[in-house]
Amino acid sequence: MADVTRGGQFLVKETKCEDIFTPEDFNEEQIMMRDSVKEFVDKELWPHKDRFEKKDYALTEETMRKAGDLGFLSVAVPEAYGGMGMGFVNTVLVCDYISGATGSFSTAFGAHTGIGTMPITLYGTEEQKQKYVPKLASGEWFGAYCLTEPGAGSDANSGKTKAVLSEDGKTYSITGQKMWISNAGFCSVFIVFARIGDDKNITGFIVENDPANGISMNEEEHKLGIRASSTRQVFFNETKVPAENMLSERGNGFKIAMNALNVGRIKLAAACLDAQRRVITNAVAYANERQQFNTPIAQFGAIRSKLADMATSCYAGESATYRASKNIEDRIIAREAEGSTHQDAELKGVEEYAIECSILKVAVSEDVQNCSDEGIQIFGGMGFSEDTPMESAWRDARIARIYEGTNEINRMLSVGMLIKKAMKGHVDLLGPATKVGEELMGIPSFDTPDFSELFAEEKDLIVKLKKAFMMVAGSAVQKFGTELDSHQQILMSASDMLIEIYMAESTILRTEKLAKKEGADKVKEQIAMAQLYLYQAVDIVTQKGKEAIISFVEGDEQRMMLMGLRRFTKYTNMPNVVALKETITSKLVAENEYCF
């Protein structure tokens, strides 16, 4: 498996554009899959947006059944259990394109196919998989996932729900309260996490939904967004569960929960992509139509700037999401080739890229919020009205920063996991961090580099941004050691640096690959987006790096590091930001849609 890079290694290894997968690399099967999903959304979901907004839970269930009939719920399920057994990229692709019309449906879809079905396919015994997975794959049954409790949110392992084994050892009796349970109103089976005795870690169980077995629910929650997604509190009162319905082994629940969330995170990032494409397309069409001062507002620089930023963050999100998806898929294939079971290969494949999954979850969920916010702004007063699709897009986007682990938790996880990998020797951070320290002591080179080749300067800058991160994170690790976890504000700054590096690099590599294939003159808008994203990333790295440095080092060391930060964020040739935005928006306005 030597040729498959490890998670987090993007920071210390140069990645060649030929070695990443991009949306332009979809094969025929993937394009057909994408088109059939888009057709389903345009026919079954988009025309009924108002019904979803009016809390038509029955419609959510009905369209989920239709998705099941078309096979969309079974993409990630192995063929042995009635699924299509497609690769990880296809799973992400379906998740992306099925989620564009309404957050209500995409939440139901994500909760069912991800955290509702995955734990059984990945941790279930053969008997459990044969019994439950085919019904979940076809949409005959729906799944839900019961982890969160009133007192256990981000601290998921602190749940109070109890599981008590009967004297004859045949059944567990589960008692407790779960909240924010997606799909609760129409699900057939729950994945429930409970604690046995005084175990340190929770345990997972497969629990069939039977009201006669001590299972009751509160009314549907009234939510800001995802209004037709069924969300209820679920109460278990001495609910009897056969002992053979324990998932994996005793005390393994926390691990199951965390791994299910890793998969959930990259899929959530994907689920924010088509929403952005549709928001941008609607905004461009409106800006072309709407006239003020006898001119379409799409001709005004203030609006053009917004459209360019919206398109750029969407393009970056696609670039990074599909890059990581293919890395995970390659890792799964490599493990299977070495003789691992599908279960083990998939688990380890996703776990390997947990850092990237957290990065994507944060970046893309924040981009979709900004995108829909600017969408409202472009529509002006109409954007605030329920008659246009912008306000529901904005409300639906808001939950993405909270569920599957809040963005604060994921920010800290991304850096925390990276440091853990370094401690285990999976990613060599210490070597490069030490080199950066030596470089700071040395005399900088004053040679003018040759940046004549496309992206030569941008790739050089990415290398420097990685050094800036190493300098800050390396210094923080040295200073705080194992106490670093308790310095959350420093971790958050480092995390923002890490996120921007991954997103900017992914965008540049995708575009470089595209330019080599099509010719740079054919993709000047994509080149402009890659350059614009990097320019903005450099600003964030500068700001967050400075914030960290001046907060935990002093005196000469602080001066030295601030000097390093300036050196590592310095352009030789600054891009013309207005010209870049003009290039991007001219194409959008001419095509009247998001066209990348």
Side-chain angles (χ1 to χ4, degrees), residues 118-119 121-124 248 252 255-256 258-260 262-263 328 331-332 335 341-354:
M118 286 290 274
T121 43
L122 295 185
Y123 286 97
S248 185
N252 224 9
K255 194 171 180 186
I256 296 172
M258 290 305 103
N259 279 324
N262 283 336
V263 183
I328 291 172
R331 190 87 186 168
I332 293 168
R335 283 199 172 268
T341 62
H342 172 74
Q343 275 173 298
D344 197 50
E346 185 136 335
L347 267 175
K348 291 283 193 291
V350 174
E351 201 174 354
E352 179 64 51
Y353 287 94

Side-chain angles (χ1 to χ4, degrees), residues 40-205:
F40 167 77
V41 173
D42 289 331
K43 195 170 129 211
E44 303 290 350
L45 304 180
W46 191 263
H48 306 301
K49 269 183 87 75
D50 56 329
R51 287 175 63 190
F52 286 108
E53 293 316 304
K54 292 186 180 115
K55 306 184 181 177
D56 190 337
Y57 302 108
L59 178 64
T60 301
E61 186 179 349
E62 182 193 317
T63 47
M64 280 287 287
R65 293 215 185 276
K66 286 181 177 164
D69 293 340
L70 291 167
F72 298 148
L73 304 181
S74 74
V75 175
V77 172
E79 289 176 37
Y81 311 106
M84 291 191 189
M86 288 188 168
F88 196 79
V89 172
N90 290 54
T91 303
V92 168
L93 176 87
V94 171
C95 208
D96 170 352
Y97 283 92
I98 212 159
S99 302
T102 163
S104 298
F105 179 86
S106 68
T107 300
F109 178 85
H112 169 76
T113 56
I115 51 183
T117 305
M118 286 290 274
I120 308 179
T121 43
L122 295 185
Y123 286 97
T125 61
E126 192 53 41
E127 292 72 30
Q128 288 168 344
K129 288 188 288 190
Q130 295 286 0
K131 183 174 180 185
Y132 294 107
V133 177
K135 288 179 175 167
L136 291 166
S138 67
E140 180 190 339
W141 280 22
F142 292 118
Y145 176 88
C146 301
L147 178 62
T148 304
E149 297 183 15
S154 296
D155 183 5
N157 204 24
S158 65
K160 305 262 185 291
T161 298
K162 287 280 177 214
V164 181
L165 188 60
S166 60
E167 290 198 358
D168 62 8
K170 287 186 177 158
T171 55
Y172 280 93
S173 171
I174 294 183
T175 301
Q177 174 186 1
K178 298 288 182 180
M179 68 192 300
W180 311 127
I181 306 308
S182 297
N183 297 353
F186 59 85
C187 79
S188 327
V189 65
F190 297 105
I191 307 290
V192 181
F193 295 92
R195 194 176 309 279
I196 303 172
D198 294 326
D199 285 4
K200 177 173 175 264
N201 290 325
I202 49 182
T203 299
F205 295 90

